[in-house]
Amino acid sequence: MKKSKLFLGLFALPFLGIGIWALISITGTLIDWKSMQSWEPVQAYVLSGGYHINSDSESTTYKAYGKYTYTYNGREYKSTRVQIDDTSDNIGKHQIKLGQKLKRAAKQKEPIEAYVNPDNPNDTIINRDIRLEMVGFKFIFLVAFGGFGLALLIVLFTMPKEKDSTLPLYKEKPWLINDKWQTNEIYSTAKLAMYLTWGFAIFWNAISSPILFILTEEILEENNYFILIALIFPLIGAGLIIQAVRKTLEWKKFGRIPVILDPFPGSIGGQVGGSIELPHSYSMGTQFTVTLSNIYSHKSSNSKNRRQSEKIIWQDTAIAYTESGIYGTRIVFRFDVPEGLNASDALKNSSNSYLCKLNLKATGILRNNSNYYLWRLNLKATLPGVDIDRNYEIPVYPTRKKSAYISQRDMRVSEDATLQMEDLAARAKILIRQGVHGDEMFYPMGRFIGTALIGMFVGVTFLGMGGFLMFHEKMYIFGGVFALFGIPIFLGFLYMCTNSLTVYKTSLGNIQTVRRVFGLPIRKCNIPLENISSIEKGHTFSVTTGNKQVKCYAVHVPLSGYGHKKMILGEGFYGEGETDAAITIIKETLGIQNNQSGKRS
């Protein structure tokens, strides 16, 4: 561990050094710009001017140059300084334009304005304006490289001493190896999430800020409207800032708010329960949703883009029981957890796991396995002013213990509220209307409008980038790749947004479904009622709402004799509880007997 810390510290220093260089450079530029505002204007005559072109295999950069004379207090001087930042670059077309201006002035022998330092007449400059795009470009290095190096050093110096996991205590009670799991009082990850959101928002806005300066030049002077597609990056940055502000307001209002687990740790084959004292005035009409998830965190299988992904293994949601508490509202919850699920990984969820989470495999220093299981508890509610949306990483192990202090009466109230919520949520997604054959279930066009619009926007962005690269930059192969990605993404999410589904029982007693796109039928399916042996639910995809990831299910009938084909009876249901409520509604509407029960697939 000590060697790893030493190597990682040495690894962080070059990044920190680049950040310090960027800070010094930006500070120097700002100081020079400020001091030059008091310099006196003089008439200068350019002897020679233009711009140098520096090309290599990776890029082409430009640097304006000039040699000029000027007179100050009756004395003639010469200078070659033309701008504050005297380096070669290709950020915008500033260097080319300034070089052309100097070349034109030299050719026409006309005076141009320069600025002289009255305290040192040998010190003069032609363009004393600050280049915001260059400051933004250097700010990228300050935030991205310097911020990364500083953050890594802070983690290394604040990380607690590593514990010996082979000790008998940790073999008997493995959760105790995690410093955050010493007692049943577990704090949320809200503070860390707030810092990470701000960090990523600052990083994203830093790397996308030069776009705003380049856009003006490209549109007004080059009439390049394709470049408008690049606005997506500053817009995303604005959204990240808004998200960071929301997390800050939530943290400021509610603070740390720990969950008190009962039993401790949470129990596989038993129960996971607890209470939360929320500093918010108690109201009987306020519902708090609690979601418990067993999650598998793993590296994606794509070798070219190895990123950490999460897969929900098991999940349950409940409406918590609430009552007046010490600080305002006391929230009580409890879940029955089935056998066979995976326990928390105390090491991966501990402070000592920061080295793993930094994903520094590329350095060759660490080779830790990045696949592990975790248990996440989410508390969510819509409240006046600032909503609550908190995640807790909690210890859950196969102890088969049950809650000792949670009232059974309180849990009956919670269960009734949960069943009512699931039924209302399912009925909100199943529109039952009178059709030609009687009652029919209708899932209208636009029911996935939020997800579909985001997906279509991504598709349009890829298409726009492809069009820009092909038709403006003449990069047909690279642009074509972007377009090939964009077309299926756009069409897939367009279908998600524009399709509808109708399910009904015909006069012959058969179950029929009709799938439409823009109201036009594209697919029909018909099956006799007596051929339905089971109704199943299948996980289709997962959606993220705030800090919570939720499984999305479809309800279907397997078609025997047709391979793996299915007749979809309903879709878009969040969580197993809502899906089970939907199955009950579907059976009632279609007249399917209870022995044809719902089964998970």
Side-chain angles (χ1 to χ4, degrees):
M1 186 67 177
K2 290 182 179 180
K3 288 185 177 180
S4 295
K5 281 189 173 183
L6 176 62
F7 286 138
L8 286 175
L10 294 174
F11 177 75
L13 288 178
F15 289 90
L16 184 62
I18 293 173
I20 293 173
W21 164 82
L23 178 62
I24 293 173
S25 180
I26 293 173
T27 304
T29 298
L30 294 175
I31 291 173
D32 287 347
W33 170 77
K34 179 65 176 178
S35 65
M36 289 176 183
Q37 302 312 299
S38 61
W39 289 11
E40 297 179 9
V42 294
Q43 294 292 309
Y45 288 88
V46 181
L47 304 176
S48 61
Y51 59 88
H52 296 298
I53 302 176
N54 303 306
S55 297
D56 56 31
S57 59
E58 296 182 356
S59 65
T60 300
T61 59
Y62 308 89
K63 180 182 177 182
Y65 69 89
K67 185 178 181 181
Y68 55 95
T69 64
Y70 59 97
T71 302
Y72 184 74
N73 288 339
R75 182 180 173 184
E76 186 176 278
Y77 298 86
K78 289 184 179 181
S79 179
T80 58
R81 189 180 185 187
V82 297
Q83 57 188 329
I84 297 176
D85 197 345
D86 194 26
T87 57
S88 179
D89 67 81
N90 55 9
I91 308 298
K93 298 185 178 180
H94 167 82
Q95 299 284 6
I96 296 175
K97 291 179 180 179
L98 180 58
Q100 290 173 340
K101 174 184 175 181
L102 295 171
K103 184 177 182 179
R104 186 167 53 250
K107 182 178 181 180
Q108 297 175 354
K109 302 185 183 303
E110 293 181 353
I112 62 174
E113 192 171 55
Y115 302 90
V116 63
N117 183 355
D119 298 326
N120 181 13
N122 286 306
D123 195 4
T124 187
I125 195 168
I126 290 177
N127 187 339
R128 64 178 180 178
D129 295 334
I130 190 169
R131 292 181 62 195
L132 294 177
E133 67 272 23
M134 276 300 295
V135 173
F137 180 70
K138 291 177 181 179
F139 193 63
I140 296 174
F141 290 90
L142 173 61
V143 174
F145 288 85
F148 175 77
L150 180 61
L152 183 53
L153 289 176
I154 290 173
V155 169
L156 290 174
F157 281 110
T158 59
M159 192 166 53
K161 185 179 179 181
E162 186 179 21
K163 297 179 180 179
D164 185 359
S165 60
T166 61
L167 293 177
L169 174 63
Y170 300 136
K171 286 187 174 295
E172 181 184 354
K173 299 179 178 180
W175 57 89
L176 293 179
I177 202 168
N178 189 327
D179 291 330
K180 300 175 183 177
W181 294 348
Q182 299 303 300
T183 69
N184 65 341
E185 192 175 84
I186 309 296
Y187 288 92
S188 73
T189 58
K191 189 175 184 179
L192 176 61
M194 178 183 67
Y195 287 147
L196 290 177
T197 303
W198 272 113
F200 187 66
I202 293 171
F203 168 77
W204 184 276
N205 282 279
I207 63 174
S208 62
S209 58
I211 294 174
L212 296 174
F213 305 105
I214 297 172
L215 275 175
T216 304
E217 183 179 287
E218 288 288 329
I219 294 172
L220 298 181
E221 300 180 14
E222 303 295 331
N223 293 322
N224 179 16
Y225 292 98
F226 269 116
I227 198 69
L228 285 172
I229 197 69
L231 278 174
I232 184 175
F233 298 104
L235 288 174
I236 292 174
L240 290 171
I241 292 291
I242 293 172
Q243 182 70 6
V245 170
R246 287 177 177 173
K247 287 186 179 293
T248 303
L249 293 175
E250 192 217 39
W251 174 257
K252 185 177 180 181
K253 179 177 180 180
F254 300 112
R256 301 180 73 191
I257 52 170
V259 57
I260 310 300
L261 291 181
D262 175 23
F264 175 74
S267 176
I268 296 171
Q271 294 175 335
V272 172
S275 61
I276 299 171
E277 294 286 349
L278 187 69
H280 178 79
S281 57
Y282 172 67
S283 173
M284 291 185 64
T286 302
Q287 286 191 335
F288 291 86
T289 303
V290 182
T291 302
L292 179 65
S293 305
N294 183 213
I295 297 170
Y296 177 53
S297 181
H298 61 98
K299 283 289 184 184
S300 61
S301 57
N302 187 349
S303 60
K304 294 183 179 180
N305 183 22
R306 300 280 291 174
R307 62 183 182 87
Q308 201 73 16
S309 302
E310 291 186 350
K311 178 182 178 182
I312 300 174
I313 305 301
W314 177 88
Q315 188 177 74
D316 198 3
T317 300
I319 298 296
Y321 173 79
T322 57
E323 60 187 8
S324 181
I326 299 173
Y327 304 111
T329 303
R330 183 170 184 263
I331 303 164
V332 185
F333 64 90
R334 188 178 69 193
F335 296 94
D336 293 321
V337 180
E339 297 271 11
L341 297 175
N342 294 279
S344 305
D345 189 325
L347 283 173
K348 293 293 183 178
N349 286 276
S350 71
S351 300
N352 291 322
S353 70
Y354 285 131
L355 293 177
C356 304
K357 293 179 180 179
L358 287 171
N359 196 21
L360 295 174
K361 286 189 176 181
T363 67
I365 298 171
L366 294 178
R367 301 288 179 184
N368 300 76
N369 182 11
S370 298
N371 301 338
Y372 61 97
Y373 291 92
L374 64 112
W375 285 81
R376 182 175 296 146
L377 185 75
N378 175 265
L379 172 68
K380 191 171 186 177
T382 301
L383 302 174
V386 180
D387 297 338
I388 182 75
D389 188 0
R390 287 287 175 97
N391 280 339
Y392 298 83
E393 308 291 334
I394 63 173
V396 181
Y397 287 83
T399 61
R400 296 182 177 84
K401 290 185 178 180
K402 296 184 179 294
S403 299
Y405 304 105
I406 296 177
S407 165
Q408 189 62 34
R409 178 188 61 84
D410 295 346
M411 288 303 97
R412 281 197 293 268
V413 174
S414 171
E415 290 167 5
D416 291 343
T418 301
L419 290 173
Q420 184 180 13
M421 173 201 69
E422 292 168 346
D423 183 71
L424 290 173
R427 291 185 184 278
K429 294 176 180 177
I430 303 175
L431 177 60
I432 299 177
R433 64 185 186 182
Q434 188 67 28
V436 177
H437 302 283
D439 287 345
E440 64 180 22
M441 295 178 295
F442 181 60
Y443 303 86
M445 181 173 65
R447 59 195 182 281
F448 301 114
I449 186 68
T451 303
L453 286 177
I454 294 173
M456 286 192 291
F457 184 70
V458 172
V460 168
T461 301
F462 272 93
L463 283 170
M465 290 295 293
F468 171 75
L469 292 171
M470 286 191 292
F471 301 114
H472 188 269
E473 300 295 327
K474 309 302 181 184
M475 300 172 65
Y476 297 108
I477 296 178
F478 197 52
V481 171
F482 271 85
L484 287 175
F485 272 103
I487 291 172
I489 292 173
F490 176 79
L491 292 179
F493 282 101
L494 178 65
Y495 170 80
M496 175 185 283
C497 180
T498 58
N499 83 88
S500 64
L501 177 67
T502 305
V503 183
Y504 58 91
K505 182 190 289 187
T506 68
S507 56
L508 298 176
N510 296 341
I511 305 300
Q512 179 153 316
T513 64
V514 181
R515 178 78 68 178
R516 294 180 173 87
V517 174
F518 288 113
L520 302 175
I522 61 169
R523 185 168 63 250
K524 293 183 179 181
C525 188
N526 187 292
I527 183 174
L529 182 61
E530 60 270 16
N531 288 357
I532 298 178
S533 59
S534 66
I535 294 181
E536 302 177 355
K537 54 188 173 186
H539 174 217
T540 52
F541 56 89
S542 296
V543 295
T544 300
T545 58
N547 291 331
K548 182 174 69 173
Q549 190 180 28
V550 182
K551 276 187 171 183
C552 191
Y553 288 89
V555 177
H556 62 265
V557 173
L559 299 177
S560 58
Y562 293 91
H564 297 286
K565 290 188 177 180
K566 307 167 184 176
M567 172 189 276
I568 303 296
L569 302 180
E571 57 192 7
F573 305 112
Y574 291 168
E576 291 200 42
E578 183 179 311
T579 310
D580 290 337
I583 289 175
T584 301
I585 298 169
I586 291 170
K587 287 180 179 180
E588 292 174 353
T589 305
L590 299 179
I592 298 175
Q593 299 299 318
N594 284 330
N595 59 348
Q596 296 161 323
S597 58
K599 184 176 71 174
R600 182 179 175 184
S601 67

